[in-house]
Amino acid sequence: MTTTAQQHSTYRNPYDSPFRWQLKDLVLVVVLGVVFGFVYWALVQAWNGLAIAMGPAGDLAQHFLFGGWLLVAPLAVAITRKAGSGILAEIIAAAMEFVFLGSPAGPMLLIAAFLQGLGSELPFAIGRYKKFGITRYAISGFLGAFLVFWWSAIRSGWFGQEIFLLRLGIQGVSGILLGGILAWVLVKAIQKTGVVDNYAIGRAQ
Amino acid sequence: MTTLTLQHPSTLVEPGAITRWNPSVKLITLFVVSVSMLFIWEPIRPALLWAALVIIALTIGNVPARWLAFAHIPFIAFGFGLFLVNVLARAEDGVVIGAALAGRTLVIGVASILFLTSTAPVDLMRSLNQNLKLPASITFAVLAGYQLLLGLPKEWQTIRAAQVMRHGGAKLNRKGKPKLTIKDAGRLVFTVLIVALRRSERIATSLESRGFGLKPRTVYRPIRVHAGDVVVGLVVCLFAVAYCLPWI
């Protein structure tokens, strides 16, 4: 493997640039967004039932699962390695939830999605879409959860509640575990199947 | 095994005046209304607005009363949770703020229902492309993705059937139905994801092979923005802002 890599080292694929989107990158990000939009929506439906059962504890417990809502951004970024792919994937997922499936949060979801995508993508952007270590995923998950936390806090009036810091802590940890580490595991598993070999992630091997 | 299906709310409702309102303008208006609701921190105004919206939904919106009531269940669940936690977590003003948040959830919920029941996804995507100049590659990819999504439940069942076969018949649960363990469910979700990814590459190839992305593009039956669309949008937006802002 190493010898072939050296032979090709003079040739650089122009589509390796994070700013050169191919149509298939775009379609992949959109399809990821659509599929995860549906998964999120299904989660919310299950969640609503649980929230009724748990009563006021349900509102706090939502932070435990929060990281799950961040999953799609690191997947999109890691596979296509394009600037803006994480934000786009989250926004598509939110639009899917809202426009096609119907969500009680309404269009406010789009703003939350933008912040989640921005937070999740930032660490990868700083690594110029070339570094994909597990720590970076963890930071990505944390930032995604952290950025959107303030928006949710404004929207739901969490300021002044006695459990404010508890909320922030749980959400941050959930972001690291579900939105970061789990994404890393998933990307590895997807890469192994070979379906994404024709994308930037496959070329980088 | 019954086939799982997804149905968009707009197919359930008789098209009316709100359906003819330009989808992009409608979406922006909904957005403005929802954002201005964030400035209300008392329960009376959301309650009035909610009542008004319900009346609009039942009359102009042609939304069946029974369906509207069912659609309220998640909003009420969500709003009730917000209300309770604020009552418990805030010593002084918990009841007022909790009720305000619950009311806001209901208002945004009914407004979203009005939007969803009056806007077919295909029309919305065409309008976003033609009126708001969103790239066609994104809007068409979303529609292709939506079609793909509609096929996924069937994919799910096929893969599940294969899974059960391979196990030599599933273990049965108490009701005598095949038992879906967490491990199996994880595998199932992952396989469906891989199927979707594989299909996305195929979609991209077929779009490209049909000359997608070439310019200039012509459109069949363009969606236009009429002066009336914009006027109604502006009036609703101004009303929402005026209704919500002055009493901060």
Side-chain angles (χ1 to χ4, degrees), chain B residues 46-247:
Chain B
L48 288 176
L49 200 55
W50 172 79
L53 281 172
V54 166
I55 292 170
I56 292 175
L58 292 176
T59 54
I60 312 172
N62 294 335
V63 183
R66 226 175 91 91
W67 193 84
L68 188 63
F70 272 118
H72 262 76
I73 294 173
F75 309 147
I76 290 175
F78 189 70
F80 190 63
L82 278 176
F83 175 69
L84 271 187
V85 79
N86 274 287
V87 171
L88 294 177
R90 283 172 194 273
E92 296 141 23
D93 49 1
V95 177
V96 174
I97 290 185
L101 288 169
R104 183 195 292 169
T105 308
L106 283 180
V107 169
I108 296 180
V110 178
S112 302
I113 287 180
L114 266 177
F115 178 81
L116 288 167
T117 51
S118 66
T119 317
V122 178
D123 287 342
L124 176 66
M125 286 303 147
R126 283 168 61 211
S127 169
L128 286 178
N129 172 221
Q130 295 170 28
N131 304 138
L132 290 186
K133 305 297 173 205
L134 225 69
S137 45
I138 291 186
T139 56
F140 279 91
V142 169
L143 285 179
Y146 184 56
Q147 284 307 315
L148 186 152
L149 181 69
L150 293 181
L152 285 186
K154 194 155 184 298
E155 207 63 48
W156 172 282
Q157 289 178 336
T158 310
I159 297 163
R160 175 69 185 140
Q163 205 175 41
V164 171
M165 282 280 288
R166 218 175 301 147
H167 288 189
K171 290 194 186 95
L172 299 184
N173 64 11
R174 264 172 292 163
K175 286 176 192 160
K177 298 244 177 76
K179 193 165 146 192
L180 183 65
T181 58
I182 292 178
K183 200 176 162 193
D184 282 352
R187 285 180 173 166
L188 203 48
V189 172
F190 184 71
T191 314
V192 172
L193 177 66
I194 296 299
V195 166
L197 286 176
R198 192 171 288 146
R199 219 169 268 176
S200 95
E201 199 178 355
R202 218 176 296 158
I203 291 173
T205 313
S206 44
L207 283 176
E208 248 166 3
S209 68
R210 283 163 177 75
F212 188 75
L214 296 181
K215 281 174 182 171
R217 272 189 82 78
T218 54
V219 288
Y220 173 61
R221 286 204 293 180
I223 296 184
R224 308 212 184 279
V225 185
H226 298 285
D229 293 327
V230 180
V231 170
V232 174
L234 277 179
V235 168
V236 176
C237 288
L238 284 177
F239 169 77
V241 172
Y243 188 75
C244 299
L245 279 187
W247 297 283

Side-chain angles (χ1 to χ4, degrees), chain A residues 17 27 29 39 47 84 117 125 129 132 142 165 197 199-200 204:
Chain A
S17 155
V27 174
V29 170
V39 173
W47 179 247
Y129 301 95
F132 290 90
F142 176 76
L165 283 177
D197 281 355
Y199 297 86

Side-chain angles (χ1 to χ4, degrees), chain A:
Chain A
M1 276 309 281
T2 46
T3 49
T4 48
Q6 276 162 4
Q7 276 164 11
H8 291 291
S9 61
T10 47
Y11 173 74
R12 284 186 58 206
N13 188 334
Y15 289 113
D16 282 345
S17 155
F19 301 102
R20 288 280 302 266
W21 284 74
Q22 279 176 290
L23 184 64
K24 72 176 177 191
D25 293 327
L26 194 63
V27 174
L28 180 106
V29 170
V30 170
V31 164
L32 272 179
V34 168
V35 172
F36 274 86
F38 177 70
V39 173
Y40 293 169
W41 176 80
L43 270 180
V44 171
Q45 303 309 308
W47 179 247
N48 277 329
L50 211 68
I52 300 173
M54 290 176 77
D59 188 66
L60 186 62
Q62 67 178 334
H63 299 290
F64 282 101
L65 281 183
F66 180 81
W69 269 254
L70 297 167
L71 256 183
V72 72
L75 283 187
V77 173
I79 294 172
T80 64
R81 312 208 164 166
K82 296 284 174 267
S85 51
I87 296 175
L88 183 66
E90 281 285 351
I91 288 185
I92 301 271
M96 199 64 207
E97 263 182 274
F98 157 59
V99 174
F100 291 87
L101 303 162
S103 153
M108 297 290 96
L109 266 182
L110 297 178
I111 297 178
F114 173 76
L115 290 173
Q116 288 171 350
L118 184 70
S120 293
E121 194 173 330
L122 211 57
F124 298 110
I126 290 170
R128 300 178 68 196
Y129 301 95
K130 281 179 186 146
K131 295 186 183 143
F132 290 90
I134 190 166
T135 324
R136 208 168 280 269
Y137 279 91
I139 297 171
S140 147
F142 176 76
L143 270 185
F146 185 75
L147 271 192
V148 81
F149 180 81
W150 301 101
W151 164 247
S152 312
I154 295 170
R155 208 162 58 103
S156 313
W158 292 339
F159 296 109
Q161 284 182 355
E162 285 135 26
I163 48 176
F164 184 72
L165 283 177
L166 186 63
R167 283 178 189 277
L168 182 59
I170 298 173
Q171 182 151 330
V173 172
S174 167
I176 292 173
L177 291 179
L178 292 178
I181 309 291
L182 181 63
W184 182 80
V185 173
L186 256 179
V187 168
K188 287 278 163 221
I190 292 173
Q191 197 177 3
K192 241 195 211 162
T193 64
V195 282
V196 289
D197 281 355
N198 296 335
Y199 297 86
I201 189 175
R203 290 197 295 269
Q205 279 171 345

